[in-house]
Amino acid sequence: MIVLKTERLTLRPLAPGDAEAYAAMRYHPDVAKWLSLAPAAPVDSARAAIERYRQSWRDRGYGPWAIFRDGGLIGHAGLNYVPEFGETEVLWSLHPDAWGNGFATEAARASLDFGFRTRELDLIFAVTRPDNLASQAVMKRLGLVYRRDVVYRDVDSVWFDIDRPGWLRLPP
Ligand SMILES: CC(C)(COP(=O)(O)OP(=O)(O)OC[C@H]1O[C@@H](n2cnc3c(N)ncnc32)[C@H](O)[C@@H]1OP(=O)(O)O)[C@@H](O)C(=O)NCCC(=O)NCCS
């Protein structure tokens, strides 16, 4: 199991025991409105997502982590292969109580570093809705660049990405 420590956070692969705290974060109304969530009960949906992510860790050696701060689960961040695009995305969400502290950027930076340096991925992208400016601000802070508009799971979205040489050139 790959656990990462950043300056302020611990990233640990999501596990079945996280389902309730994970559901409370994902289904908080201010978070859920930005995500395309399955129409299932929150804890059941969280369990299913955790199982998909565990499969990704087994198959690909990467996946989303739960983000812990002072022992509590505050969100998720990490890498997710998207078959529709044949590429790997970096994703993030935080419970609103944790917004405004740079935690998403800190966790995503560790995720990108792991993806490019440890897993040697060639390209990592991020997509979000055009009006999700908070998420686009995270993308820009990380050095991802807007490339085009796309439709992702029937939703109009904007696509940002960065490739490995571009990531390795960024100042630390
Ligand atoms: C997208 C989301 C994770 C962004 O969270 P966030 O807290 O705005 O982003 P960061 O963690 O990078 O924090 C940045 C903010 O912290 C501030 N900050 C405070 N202390 C900081 C520190 N030590 N280091 C860096 N930034 C700090 C920054 O100034 C910035 O504030 P601003 O938004 O007023 O400019 C959050 O809005 C969210 O979970 N939204 C709902 C779900 C969602 O949209 N997920 C993405 C789907 S694509």
Side-chain angles (χ1 to χ4, degrees):
M1 183 169 62
I2 293 175
V3 176
L4 301 184
K5 303 255 187 203
T6 67
E7 198 181 328
R8 299 176 293 172
L9 307 169
T10 300
L11 309 186
R12 192 258 290 137
L14 279 152
D18 298 323
E20 296 215 348
Y22 189 45
M25 185 282 293
R26 288 171 105 219
Y27 279 85
H28 186 289
D30 295 339
V31 173
K33 74 177 188 185
W34 297 111
L35 309 178
S36 302
L37 296 174
V43 176
D44 291 344
S45 160
R47 279 205 190 95
I50 289 169
E51 196 36 57
R52 279 197 310 279
Y53 296 156
R54 283 162 65 80
Q55 192 64 45
S56 171
W57 277 104
R58 287 192 289 266
D59 292 348
R60 296 187 172 271
Y62 60 79
W65 287 271
I67 307 172
F68 293 93
R69 166 96 175 137
D70 298 332
L73 188 157
I74 63 164
H76 79 175
L79 302 172
N80 181 47
Y81 180 76
V82 180
E84 296 94 304
F85 297 128
E87 299 284 0
T88 299
E89 68 172 338
V90 56
L91 47 75
W92 46 72
S93 284
L94 294 178
H95 190 282
D97 291 349
W99 293 359
N101 296 293
F103 295 148
T105 301
E106 186 170 321
R109 186 168 283 126
S111 306
L112 284 154
D113 226 43
F114 176 80
F116 284 127
R117 291 181 195 275
T118 306
R119 292 294 175 248
E120 300 188 342
L121 298 176
D122 291 325
L123 182 117
I124 298 177
F125 74 94
V127 286
T128 194
R129 299 179 190 190
D131 55 345
N132 192 340
L133 301 183
S135 196
Q136 287 169 58
V138 176
M139 295 173 195
K140 291 173 190 165
R141 277 194 281 276
L142 290 164
L144 278 74
V145 177
Y146 167 80
R147 307 287 181 194
R148 61 183 179 275
D149 294 345
V150 292
V151 177
Y152 180 42
R153 294 183 183 152
D154 296 330
V155 177
D156 288 335
S157 302
V158 288
W159 170 293
F160 286 63
D161 66 32
I162 189 164
D163 63 11
R164 187 163 71 237
W167 180 258
L168 298 179
R169 267 199 308 271
L170 290 177

